[in-house]
């Protein structure tokens, strides 16, 4: 069992940066691929970024490549999403995800093992 708690969301202006954190409980955290998804109002949940259990492999959605960076600290049971050059279209609820098999290469939200409760990111123009 893995429990995920996100933090770090907020209201920022276009061009600003934010860092999201996802704290995980459970002794098996380091065995899970981790990822971030987001969901804007009226839209389906979409993949943002993912990282392998060791941190050696990452995967990004084309819309965030070069602006967002995912990382993890297994000693702290935490995964991060550094978001730079934020745009209004990045506005969404951001969800942390943990999965033994689908992440980091999978990009579908279907079948993900564990989810956090989400944190709101709002980017004003």
């Amino acid at each position: 069992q893995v429990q995920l708690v996100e933090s770090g969301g907020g209201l920022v202006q276009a061009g600003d940066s934010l860092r999201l954190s996802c704290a995980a409980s459970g002794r098996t955290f380091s065995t899970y691929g981790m990822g971030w998804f987001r969901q804007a109002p009226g839209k389906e949940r979409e993949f943002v970024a993912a990282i392998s259990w060791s941190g050696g492999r990452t995967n990004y959605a084309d819309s965030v490549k070069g602006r967002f960076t995912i990382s993890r600290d297994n000693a702290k049971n935490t995964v991060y999403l550094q978001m730079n050059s934020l745009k209004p279209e990045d506005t969404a609820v951001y969800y942390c995800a943990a999965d033994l098999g689908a992440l980091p290469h999978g990009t579908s939200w279907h079948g993900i093992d564990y989810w956090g409760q989400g944190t709101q990111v709002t980017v004003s123009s």
Side-chain angles (χ1 to χ4, degrees), residues 18-42:
L18 274 178
R19 188 176 81 157
L20 304 183
S21 299
C22 173
S25 64
R27 291 174 291 177
T28 59
F29 169 78
S30 62
T31 66
Y32 280 79
M34 299 295 297
W36 291 93
F37 290 72
R38 66 187 181 187
Q39 188 164 18

Side-chain angles (χ1 to χ4, degrees), residues 61-73:
D62 288 342
S63 59
V64 306
K65 280 181 182 176
R67 299 189 298 123
F68 290 11
T69 302
I70 189 170
S71 61
R72 67 189 294 163
D73 185 339

